[in-house]
Amino acid sequence: MADLFDSGDPAPKTQAEGHRPLADRLRPKSLGDVIGQEQVLGDEAPLGVMLAAGSLGSLIFWGPPGVGKTTIARLLADETDLHFVQISAIFSGVADLKKVFQEARHRRQNGQGTLLFVDEIHRFNKAQQDGFLPYMEDGTILLVGATTENPSFELNAALLSRSQVLVLTRLVLSDLERLAQRAEREMDRALPLDGPAREALLEMADGDGRALLNLIEQIAAWKVEGKKLGVDGLSTRLMRRAAKYDKSGDEHYNLISALHKSVRGSDPDAALYWLARMLTGGEDPRYLARRITRMAVEDIGLADTHAHRVCLDAWETYERLGSPEGELALGQAVTYLALAPKSNAGYSAFKAAMREAKKTGSEPPPKHILNAPTKLMKDEGYGAGYAYDHDAEDGFSGQNYFPETMKRPVLYQPVERGFERELKKRLDYFAKLRAKRN
């Protein structure tokens, strides 16, 4: 779920109302009219429980555009008899905040509370965010912030500790269809679209209720002389809305995570889909080439020693061909990685080695594997007792190569997949020889 807009029979429209945007005319008049968001508005959901108990606390609404953050905040003020004040962090500064707080304090002295709705609250810096705290704590304001970015990264811990984060989700197709039907009742006419075109319209909105209503207003102004348009007719007249993608925000990290986990999960179709989503969103293919190569090293490793080379070749191919032709090479690399045998044994072994290195500090190597280019070093025992492996039986001496005070750890543990199956055989073989020699 997701969005705004009220239900019921439309009220008679005045001439002035006819010029109001459709989204404004359909704005809900109560929380019960809101489409979707049951996860926060239901009787047993956070807002439902707060309102039933008569104890509304400060909130942070986290969700994409067009899902009702502003509308719900305004309706909460109505439900709790609080004066509603709305500001945007994009256009407001310290002077604006001081004025808002002064007016809220004066209002409180006269017995009226204030619900302060701050849109794009993550745009405020740390000092500005800290400025809300005393007014939240003494009850001057009830803060409702809205953000499209992950609050964990963008908001101060102090502000988060005094608020409850509620996640608002994008509209699904069934929610958008309900919204379209409300719009048709408000306009007193059906959209001139056949079934597939209507579904295509809902998909164009990309989960944004406000965007859908703007598209519907455009369609309502068309003169189609009683006929219904199909998908081709709709696409000719409307441009598909660009998918929401911020190369430096949550979507960037969410989608690269989805791509990486699809490769790790051996699903080439899902991996190609998320790769395509990032490319169509405008992601730098070089960034993707680097991350794809990392996947080969981290999740495939020595189970398929060719995977790393495939990624580097794809990267080089992109550098030579550029976009869009070179992107095909990245897609082929992703497909290869998804179908390759998986092992993180090498990755895990390296991390374990790093932990051991930090723990053991400056422990020196055992003297028998140190070179002794001077007489003094020979006298100190450097190189004494070193067994030259090529002279040993089976070309393996089984000597200890760790610091003498360190218990031998087991770092690399290959899996029974791909080429690592062969490496495991070799590792087991040397382990038996080592036990025999020692």
Side-chain angles (χ1 to χ4, degrees):
M1 321 176 319
D3 199 286
L4 310 35
F5 323 107
D6 66 334
S7 58
D9 296 328
K13 295 183 284 294
T14 65
Q15 185 175 8
E17 285 177 322
H19 294 288
R20 289 166 57 203
L22 188 57
D24 187 48
R25 283 150 53 194
L26 288 178
R27 194 175 296 279
K29 296 177 177 61
S30 71
L31 289 171
D33 295 333
V34 174
I35 292 176
Q37 306 305 349
E38 284 297 315
Q39 77 282 2
V40 297
L41 292 173
D43 292 340
E44 298 301 317
L47 284 181
V49 172
M50 287 183 194
L51 293 173
S55 178
L56 185 64
S58 291
L59 305 165
I60 301 295
F61 290 154
W62 175 25
V67 299
K69 297 187 288 290
T70 305
T71 294
I72 293 174
R74 189 182 297 275
L75 294 174
L76 286 175
D78 293 341
E79 292 273 349
T80 53
D81 294 323
L82 295 174
H83 183 78
F84 182 77
V85 177
Q86 178 178 353
I87 64 173
S88 170
I90 298 175
F91 302 111
S92 303
V94 174
D96 302 296
L97 290 176
K98 286 182 177 179
K99 182 179 179 181
V100 167
F101 295 146
Q102 289 171 357
E103 292 175 348
R105 180 163 283 169
H106 179 72
R107 207 176 288 118
R108 185 182 178 216
Q109 291 170 350
N110 293 325
Q112 169 104 61
T114 299
L115 188 152
L116 175 60
F117 176 70
V118 183
D119 198 15
E120 303 291 340
I121 191 171
H122 64 277
R123 301 274 188 172
F124 279 137
N125 61 36
K126 183 181 186 300
Q128 290 169 319
Q129 291 181 30
D130 285 343
F132 289 100
L133 302 180
Y135 301 98
M136 295 168 64
E137 290 172 347
D138 68 9
T140 300
I141 61 168
L142 188 148
L143 177 68
V144 178
T147 177
T148 56
E149 300 295 328
N150 190 326
S152 302
F153 304 134
E154 303 295 337
L155 298 183
N156 291 352
L159 188 63
L160 285 176
S161 70
R162 291 163 175 79
S163 311
Q164 181 169 352
V165 176
L166 300 181
V167 180
L168 304 187
T169 52
R170 66 196 299 273
L171 282 164
V172 297
L173 290 180
S174 59
D175 295 328
L176 291 168
E177 174 58 30
R178 289 175 59 199
L179 184 54
Q181 291 175 12
R182 288 185 182 181
E184 288 172 320
R185 290 199 297 270
E186 170 67 21
M187 299 184 301
D188 199 26
R189 62 182 181 277
L191 292 172
L193 304 174
D194 64 17
R198 189 182 183 94
E199 185 173 345
L201 170 67
L202 302 184
E203 291 175 347
M204 283 182 180
D206 196 27
D208 186 328
R210 186 166 46 244
L212 175 64
L213 293 181
N214 291 337
L215 293 172
I216 288 175
E217 278 197 295
Q218 293 181 53
I219 294 171
W222 295 345
K223 295 179 181 180
V224 294
E225 300 177 357
K227 66 179 180 180
K228 289 191 174 183
L229 295 173
V231 174
D232 291 341
L234 178 68
S235 300
T236 299
R237 291 169 170 81
L238 282 181
M239 292 292 290
R240 178 170 290 275
R241 187 165 178 260
K244 179 172 68 72
Y245 185 74
D246 181 354
K247 288 190 283 185
S248 62
D250 276 353
E251 287 300 305
H252 168 81
Y253 297 106
N254 289 343
L255 268 59
I256 193 62
S257 176
L259 171 59
H260 196 151
K261 290 179 173 62
S262 298
V263 167
R264 182 182 294 155
S266 301
D267 190 334
D269 294 334
L272 284 170
Y273 169 75
W274 293 117
L275 175 68
R277 278 281 300 273
M278 297 188 80
L279 288 170
T280 57
E283 185 58 76
D284 182 358
R286 292 178 178 85
Y287 166 79
L288 290 168
R290 182 173 66 82
R291 289 300 299 254
I292 291 166
T293 305
R294 174 190 166 181
M295 294 172 202
V297 174
E298 182 176 323
D299 286 291
I300 295 167
L302 297 174
D304 185 341
T305 56
H306 189 55
H308 190 177
R309 185 69 257 169
V310 167
C311 294
L312 292 177
D313 287 345
W315 194 342
E316 183 179 355
T317 299
Y318 175 79
E319 293 293 352
R320 289 176 178 271
L321 293 181
S323 293
E325 294 87 349
E327 293 165 4
L328 174 59
L330 299 182
Q332 291 174 348
V334 162
T335 302
Y336 186 94
L337 296 189
L339 295 174
K342 306 298 187 297
S343 172
N344 71 340
Y347 179 55
S348 298
F350 179 76
K351 291 196 297 182
M354 293 294 287
R355 289 194 298 270
E356 290 288 340
K358 291 176 181 177
K359 184 170 65 175
T360 54
S362 303
E363 288 286 344
K367 286 186 177 181
H368 65 265
I369 62 171
L370 298 179
N371 290 330
T374 69
K375 182 177 184 301
L376 174 62
M377 296 171 76
K378 289 180 181 179
D379 292 342
E380 288 295 318
Y382 282 40
Y386 173 63
Y388 189 55
D389 286 82
H390 292 292
D391 293 338
E393 183 182 357
D394 301 315
F396 180 77
S397 67
Q399 279 197 312
N400 175 52
Y401 301 105
F402 284 96
E404 292 175 353
T405 59
M406 180 179 172
K407 181 180 179 181
R408 179 184 179 85
V410 177
L411 304 179
Y412 179 51
Q413 302 181 61
V415 299
E416 289 280 359
R417 290 188 293 275
F419 183 66
E420 278 205 328
R421 183 181 292 111
E422 177 62 30
L423 296 181
K424 187 175 187 305
K425 292 178 183 177
R426 300 180 192 180
L427 194 64
D428 292 342
Y429 170 74
F430 289 126
K432 290 178 182 177
L433 287 181
R434 184 178 293 109
K436 178 181 177 182
R437 303 285 156 80
N438 294 329

